């Protein structure tokens, strides 16, 4: 099956993976060494019984010397084969060790990855003596971009390059290394107090538009940024003012209906994955429920817009393990963000992490998930059924898209079981 280990010690990240081939090779090496040692032991311990045997003694030593040379040759071949296998595995994984001596690596990367001894020595509770920096192992695939990101003046202003950092994150370089520079500050003028802030548009000067195609909210509202965000920055007159409180089809669930499924006080804190401009969190905030919204700034300043509404944005990709402890949320809400590309295992890892942070008895709200084909719907349905969730609400319906074609959507409210 193989195992994966990541070690960042002396500033070098390494990836090692055991394979069937390497295991077989180790068994062959062990067999050869044991057999040779037994033969040598027999040769040395056997005493000559007659004068003829004494004459054969030099010949025996010669044979032993020859065997020793053969063993050394076998060991060298085994060592060479192991190195070749390790190199092949690295190439298959697309991962190489981070060589900190190369000129491509910025000095700040070396500084960040160095060990930092604890000032008071060994910690009595954890037993650690030093702090080791964390950096995504896939950063090695983008060394040029990583060095560009870490090439800055220490104690000076950070380059205006958040889009570069996000590009690294989307390439699997997560977490990013920390930097010793001051991020660009944008005055947040005209913000309203909570809860008035939930449904107010603010000056477009409070957002960072660098690296984005649009430079104002009108441009964003004229675009369909993703399947869950079409005109989602219009929180004054657009559809966002009706979402979750009015239905347009049978796949749309009302927030009050979902909250009623657990009764009064059943839902207090939740997690919205890929929550667009934060409207779901805003509706929940009106009902005294705290929602953390995870999103990136893909084509729009989602995080800043959510924060301006007085809500909690989390700048995080779906490839990252959720930075929350187990069983902490009463509700997890997600839509088409679950339509991850790649192999089915990627979706499986994501759903397992959703299950991890959701408490027993909590609700998983799957909101208008597009089943682009029957195989996708079947795969997701089977995956959900494996977790043993109780189906409080399950609706499969059709909608007509902009091109006049019918599309199948799945919406569901599922309750996490108590597992022993």
């Amino acid at each position: 099956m193989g195992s994966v280990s990541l070690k960042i010690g002396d500033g070098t990240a390494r990836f090692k993976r055991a394979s069937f081939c390497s295991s077989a090779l180790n068994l062959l090496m062990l067999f050869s060494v044991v057999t040779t040692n037994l033969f040598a032991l027999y040769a040395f311990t056997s005493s000559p019984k007659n004068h003829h045997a004494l004459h054969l003694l030099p010949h025996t030593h010669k044979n032993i010397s020859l065997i020793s040379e053969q063993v050394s040759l076998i060991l060298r071949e085994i060592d060479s084969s192991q190195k070749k296998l390790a190199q092949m595995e690295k190439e298959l994984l697309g991962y190489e060790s981070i060589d900190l001596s190369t000129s491509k690596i910025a000095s700040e990367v070396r500084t960040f990855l160095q060990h930092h001894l604890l000032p008071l020595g060994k910690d009595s509770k954890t037993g650690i003596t030093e702090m080791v920096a964390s950096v995504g192992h896939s950063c090695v695939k983008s060394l040029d971009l990583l060095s560009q990101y870490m090439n800055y003046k220490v104690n000076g202003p950070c380059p205006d390059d958040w889009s570069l950092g996000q590009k690294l994150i989307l390439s699997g370089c997560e977490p990013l290394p920390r930097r010793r520079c001051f991020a660009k500050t944008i005055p947040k003028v005209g913000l309203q107090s909570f809860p008035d802030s939930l449904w107010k548009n603010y000056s477009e000067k409070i957002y960072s538009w660098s690296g984005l195609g649009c430079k104002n909210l009108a441009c964003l509202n004229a675009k369909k940024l993703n399947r869950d965000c079409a005109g989602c920055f219009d929180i004054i007159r657009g559809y966002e003012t009706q979402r979750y409180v009015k239905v347009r089809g049978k796949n749309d669930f009302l927030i009050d209906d979902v909250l009623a499924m657990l009764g009064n006080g059943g839902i207090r804190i939740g997690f919205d994955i890929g929550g667009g401009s934060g409207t779901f969190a805003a509706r929940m905030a009106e009902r005294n429920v705290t929602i953390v919204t995870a999103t990136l700034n893909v084509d729009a300043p989602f995080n800043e817009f959510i924060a301006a509404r007085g809500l909690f944005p989390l700048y995080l990709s779906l490839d990252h393990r959720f930075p929350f402890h187990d069983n902490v949320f009463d509700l997890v809400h997600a839509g088409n963000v679950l339509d991850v590309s790649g192999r089915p295992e990627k979706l499986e890892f994501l759903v397992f992490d959703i299950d991890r942070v959701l408490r027993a008895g909590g609700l998983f709200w799957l909101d208008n998930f597009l089943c682009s084909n029957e195989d996708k719907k079947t795969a997701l349905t089977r995956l959900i059924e494996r977790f043993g969730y109780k189906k409080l609400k399950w609706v499969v319906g059709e909608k007509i898209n902009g091109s006049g074609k019918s599309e199948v959507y799945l919406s569901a409210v599922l309750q996490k079981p108590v597992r022993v």
Side-chain angles (χ1 to χ4, degrees):
M1 293 292 292
S3 61
V4 178
S5 63
L6 177 64
K7 177 182 178 183
I8 300 179
D10 57 350
T12 302
R14 298 182 180 90
F15 221 29
K16 296 181 179 178
R17 181 178 177 180
S19 67
F20 176 79
C21 294
S22 59
S23 299
L25 202 58
N26 289 334
L27 289 174
L28 177 61
M29 181 182 73
L30 180 62
F31 176 76
S32 301
V33 172
V34 171
T35 303
T36 304
N37 286 341
L38 288 175
F39 182 82
L41 180 64
Y42 174 78
F44 277 112
T45 56
S46 297
S47 58
K49 295 182 179 180
N50 49 47
H51 183 73
H52 179 69
L54 292 174
H55 285 289
L56 295 176
L57 193 59
H59 183 66
T60 302
H61 283 297
K62 184 177 181 180
N63 288 341
I64 292 174
S65 177
L66 181 61
I67 292 171
S68 179
E69 292 178 5
Q70 292 295 326
V71 170
S72 299
L73 179 61
I74 291 173
L75 291 177
R76 286 197 298 269
E77 288 293 332
I78 290 174
D79 182 63
S80 176
S81 298
Q82 285 181 326
K83 291 179 179 179
K84 289 179 180 178
L85 280 173
Q87 180 64 29
M88 290 171 61
E89 289 170 351
K90 288 179 180 180
E91 292 175 357
L92 289 173
L93 290 169
Y95 181 84
E96 291 287 345
S97 298
I98 298 179
D99 183 6
L100 297 181
S101 64
T102 179
S103 58
K104 291 184 178 181
I105 296 295
S107 59
E108 278 296 279
V109 177
R110 297 189 186 94
T111 302
F112 179 77
L113 290 177
Q114 287 176 354
H115 285 207
H116 299 279
L117 297 176
L118 296 180
L120 300 180
K122 183 178 181 180
D123 182 77
S124 59
K125 293 183 179 180
T126 62
I128 63 174
T129 59
E130 57 190 11
M131 297 300 294
V132 180
S134 176
V135 62
H137 73 268
S138 290
C139 293
V140 73
K141 297 178 182 178
S142 308
L143 282 181
D144 291 338
L145 291 180
L146 180 64
S147 289
Q148 183 180 341
Y149 179 75
M150 293 298 287
N151 187 15
Y152 60 90
K153 182 180 179 181
V154 177
N155 295 323
C158 294
D160 188 11
D161 61 353
W162 69 264
S163 57
L164 172 61
Q166 181 167 275
K167 186 175 182 179
L168 283 165
I169 290 174
L170 292 173
S171 299
C173 183
E174 189 178 25
L176 289 173
R178 286 176 172 150
R179 300 197 294 188
R180 297 181 293 171
C181 58
F182 297 99
K184 179 183 178 181
T185 56
I186 300 176
K188 306 293 184 179
V189 179
L191 298 179
Q192 298 291 322
S193 59
F194 190 86
D196 294 336
S197 60
L198 293 175
W199 303 102
K200 296 286 185 181
N201 271 341
Y202 305 103
S203 169
E204 294 166 343
K205 294 181 180 180
I206 71 171
Y207 308 119
S208 173
W209 299 98
S210 63
L212 299 176
C214 286
K215 304 300 180 183
N216 54 64
L217 296 178
C219 175
L220 293 178
N221 288 322
K223 290 185 174 183
K224 185 177 182 179
L225 298 174
N226 55 62
R227 291 190 177 277
D228 296 324
C229 181
C232 68
F233 285 87
D234 186 357
I235 58 176
I236 304 297
R237 296 173 298 274
Y239 173 61
E240 293 297 294
T241 61
Q242 301 177 29
R243 291 188 72 181
Y244 309 111
V245 293
K246 291 184 181 181
V247 298
R248 294 197 298 184
K250 64 178 183 179
N251 284 80
D252 297 330
F253 299 162
L254 300 179
I255 274 185
D256 291 333
D257 292 345
V258 176
L259 292 176
M261 293 180 184
L262 285 186
N264 294 331
I267 298 178
R268 305 148 301 155
I269 184 170
F271 184 34
D272 187 16
I273 306 174
S277 60
T279 295
F280 179 80
R283 288 299 183 194
M284 283 295 191
E286 293 175 331
R287 291 153 178 80
N288 297 318
V289 177
T290 301
I291 297 291
V292 178
T293 303
T295 183
L296 291 174
N297 283 1
V298 178
D299 297 328
F302 287 106
N303 278 265
E304 292 170 288
F305 192 86
I306 292 170
R309 300 179 76 174
L311 302 169
F312 188 165
L314 182 65
Y315 193 68
L316 186 75
S317 80
L318 294 184
D319 293 325
H320 196 289
R321 185 179 190 267
F322 299 140
F324 305 112
H325 196 56
D326 303 350
N327 307 297
V328 294
F329 289 114
D330 303 313
L331 170 74
V332 174
H333 175 263
N336 283 295
V337 69
L338 293 187
D339 187 13
V340 295
S341 59
R343 297 180 300 177
E345 289 85 353
K346 187 172 183 179
L347 174 62
E348 189 173 348
F349 276 110
L350 174 58
V351 176
F352 264 100
D353 211 25
I354 290 174
D355 178 82
R356 179 184 64 82
V357 299
L358 182 63
R359 70 169 175 85
L363 302 183
F364 175 33
W365 181 349
L366 182 60
D367 189 3
N368 281 278
F369 177 80
L370 173 63
C371 303
S372 55
N373 54 62
E374 187 65 26
D375 291 341
K376 182 173 291 186
K377 185 184 74 172
T378 301
L380 179 61
T381 301
R382 289 177 178 174
L383 179 59
I384 291 174
E385 289 176 347
R386 284 173 50 193
F387 288 82
Y389 280 49
K390 182 180 180 181
K391 297 178 181 178
L392 302 181
K393 200 166 185 176
W394 183 278
V395 176
V396 177
E398 294 185 0
K399 295 182 181 180
I400 304 300
N401 61 21
S403 61
K405 294 182 179 180
S406 177
E407 295 178 328
V408 177
Y409 286 82
L410 169 62
S411 292
V413 178
L414 311 167
Q415 187 171 31
K416 180 179 177 178
V418 178
R419 303 190 186 102
V420 180

